Amino acid sequence: MKDALSGPDPREAAFQATVDSEGKIEPKDWMPEAYRKTLIRQISQHAHSEIIGMQPEGNWIGRAPTLRRKVALVAKVQDEAGHGLYLYSAAETLGASRDDMVDALIDGRAKYSTIFNYPTLTWADIGTIGWLVDGAAIINQVALCRTSYGPYARAMVRICKEESFHQRQGYEILVDLCQGTAEQKRMAQESLNRWWWPALMMFGPSDDNSPNSAQSMAWKIKRLSNDELRQRFVDQSVPQAEYLGLTIPDPDLKWNAERGHYDFGEVPWDEFMEVLKGNGPCNRQRMEARRKARDDGAWVREAALAHAAKRAARAEKSAA
Amino acid sequence: MTKQQWPLWEVFVRSKAGLSHKHAGSVHAADAKMALENARDLYTRRGEGTSLWVVPADAIVASAPEDKGALFDPADDKVYRHPTFYKIPDDVGHM
């Protein structure tokens, strides 16, 4: 309802002032339509990632090698379902409906993290996912705890507390494998070889190739750039790999004393673009499983609603 | 495909006796009982709570941000609402 005659919308200036002073934007506050849209896109895709992310790990629940590992993995996958729900709730405060968001995922209009399009081929992959994938997620999400939209920031605080359990359970798996038999150690190294680059891709395209970044930074949705976060992840992961006695599959990886950071090789961006376009190893399988769960579960959701309506009617009648 | 969505419920958790219920988030559920069960599974997995409230989201009426001034004006002219407005002789001690 912008008045064309009065020039720039004064609400926009007030909004930006709140953002600039590290204030939080809340659901009923005025916000630019593009801010709302960007957030719905980002938060819903974040939620989709949690839900789709249950599949690669769920793949090993029935085959976990010990009961201790199995209960931990079940608890972890349960947390991920919860993270999806927190995030869908946060997106709903922006006026999006969860049904629509799920439809957008299933119709391929919405994306989810590229990482979940890679297969879990060995038990070591469960350790590597916990260590690297959840490790990357923590770095992303710790930065998002200060994002400008209140409900998103609060969801992140809650999620970060739980992610630490995920990462530690994963690293512990790898510590055991790397201190185990030669075959177990080989399994861990082979797993790292397959997941290292996909984990680096989780931070998104490089800064000079990330068109939405400038606006997201100005609105403080994003607090650090993709490349800054990626660098932080590499710096953190290298010593952890060294402790395990594993080699990171990057011949260009080298400590740079001048920068105080690790230099690393070029991320295979062609592969990233292919996975993003739906042509990764498991894109079809992941979407098919999600679609099947929605479609096959439709009658159960309808039954629950019909039952709730019946009970409500009965309660009303007995009250009368 | 049915578009009927389970309604949205807002969840409030009280962490221990003596504290107040705090908004924790929301859940979708067909009825109040399922909302309580889902909220328990989702928001109290790690001993976060001893009491749960679930409220249909459409039962909540929120104040409008633009009313901030009128509704929440601290009324600085009403200094007599604060205990420090009143003078108590030092000899009386802490009160």
Side-chain angles (χ1 to χ4, degrees):
Chain A
M1 277 162 287
K2 192 167 150 180
D3 183 355
L5 299 175
S6 63
D9 192 326
R11 293 175 302 184
E12 182 133 14
F15 165 86
Q16 192 63 49
T18 303
V19 167
D20 290 344
S21 62
E22 298 293 322
K24 292 282 181 245
I25 304 299
E26 295 298 335
K28 296 198 88 183
D29 290 336
W30 183 89
M31 61 189 84
E33 208 38 43
Y35 177 85
R36 182 188 303 276
K37 280 206 177 116
T38 298
L39 271 171
I40 290 176
R41 181 178 51 82
Q42 181 172 338
I43 301 174
S44 69
Q45 295 189 164
H46 196 160
H48 299 330
S49 302
E50 300 283 356
I51 299 302
I52 298 294
M54 295 164 78
Q55 292 185 40
E57 291 180 290
N59 182 33
W60 279 89
I61 289 176
R63 295 181 283 167
T66 71
L67 192 52
R68 184 174 188 273
R69 296 294 180 211
K70 187 191 293 224
V71 293
L73 183 56
V74 168
K76 188 192 163 186
V77 173
Q78 187 190 23
D79 278 355
E80 272 153 17
H83 297 175
L85 296 183
Y86 307 153
L87 287 160
Y88 282 128
S89 297
E92 284 182 298
T93 63
L94 292 158
S97 100
R98 198 168 81 183
D99 268 357
D100 290 345
M101 292 186 272
V102 170
D103 284 349
L105 169 69
I106 289 177
D107 302 344
R109 282 177 287 125
K111 306 214 178 300
Y112 55 90
S113 178
T114 50
I115 194 78
F116 300 119
N117 292 310
Y118 290 86
T120 42
L121 302 177
T122 69
W123 169 250
D125 289 354
I126 300 307
T128 309
I129 287 177
W131 170 40
L132 291 183
V133 175
D134 292 280
I138 290 173
I139 286 183
N140 245 325
Q141 291 170 352
V142 164
L144 284 172
C145 288
R146 294 187 301 120
T147 194
S148 60
Y149 187 57
Y152 194 22
R154 290 190 287 273
M156 281 303 118
V157 170
R158 182 176 280 276
I159 288 174
C160 281
K161 285 186 193 153
E162 297 180 347
E163 292 285 8
S164 164
F165 142 56
H166 298 178
Q167 193 186 18
R168 290 168 63 108
Q169 70 87 33
Y171 195 70
E172 194 195 77
I173 290 173
L174 290 176
V175 169
D176 269 13
L177 290 177
C178 291
Q179 293 173 354
T181 64
E183 198 183 342
Q184 286 175 318
K185 176 107 190 246
R186 262 201 310 278
M187 197 204 284
Q189 180 65 58
E190 187 272 335
S191 177
L192 174 57
N193 294 348
R194 281 184 289 111
W195 289 91
W196 175 253
W197 292 108
L200 290 195
M201 294 175 201
M202 287 176 71
F203 298 96
S206 60
D207 292 349
D208 45 17
N209 212 351
S210 180
N212 299 327
S213 280
Q215 184 61 76
S216 283
M217 300 277 274
W219 280 334
K220 298 196 178 178
I221 294 175
K222 247 177 129 127
R223 304 306 307 250
L224 292 164
S225 82
N226 295 353
D227 286 338
E228 283 170 315
L229 293 166
R230 190 168 11 246
Q231 180 72 60
R232 200 173 274 198
F233 175 72
V234 171
D235 291 346
Q236 167 189 302
S237 302
V238 173
Q240 292 166 349
E242 279 167 1
Y243 178 84
L244 293 170
L246 297 179
T247 310
I248 287 178
D250 178 1
D252 297 323
L253 184 78
K254 208 169 107 244
W255 176 251
N256 182 328
E258 209 170 297
R259 289 201 309 129
H261 292 291
Y262 282 93
D263 291 336
F264 55 98
E266 176 82 357
V267 176
W269 294 118
D270 292 352
E271 176 184 323
F272 175 73
M273 289 316 297
E274 280 306 305
V275 178
L276 207 58
K277 276 192 281 180
N279 302 322
C282 298
N283 295 60
R284 278 176 204 86
Q285 182 186 336
R286 302 287 184 241
M287 292 309 299
E288 188 50 41
R290 184 66 193 86
R291 185 181 304 115
K292 188 173 186 314
R294 180 191 66 170
D295 294 351
D296 292 357
W299 71 271
V300 179
R301 296 193 299 276
E302 284 165 32
L305 275 178
H307 184 63
K310 199 168 81 181
R311 286 204 343 181
R314 202 182 295 149
E316 206 171 306
K317 207 168 146 194
S318 70
Chain B
M1 184 51 42
T2 170
K3 293 299 292 179
Q4 258 187 324
Q5 184 167 230
W6 287 350
L8 187 68
W9 304 74
E10 296 300 331
V11 179
F12 299 81
V13 180
R14 194 186 68 205
S15 56
K16 56 182 173 203
L19 297 182
S20 53
H21 284 77
K22 197 174 163 209
H23 183 240
S26 56
V27 292
H28 283 275
D31 60 21
K33 184 162 169 277
M34 191 195 287
L36 267 182
E37 288 167 356
N38 289 355
R40 182 200 61 202
D41 286 348
L42 187 56
Y43 292 108
T44 65
R45 273 204 297 279
R46 291 180 173 85
E48 292 95 333
T50 56
S51 167
L52 275 176
W53 289 346
V54 292
V55 182
D58 58 16
I60 291 177
V61 181
S63 62
E66 52 271 29
D67 293 344
K68 204 154 48 180
L71 268 175
F72 303 113
D73 185 345
D76 287 336
D77 56 330
K78 298 185 178 67
V79 285
Y80 49 85
R81 281 181 171 161
H82 298 280
T84 46
F85 180 73
Y86 301 94
K87 288 190 185 66
I88 301 293
D90 286 349
D91 297 346
V92 177
H94 181 72
M95 186 178 276

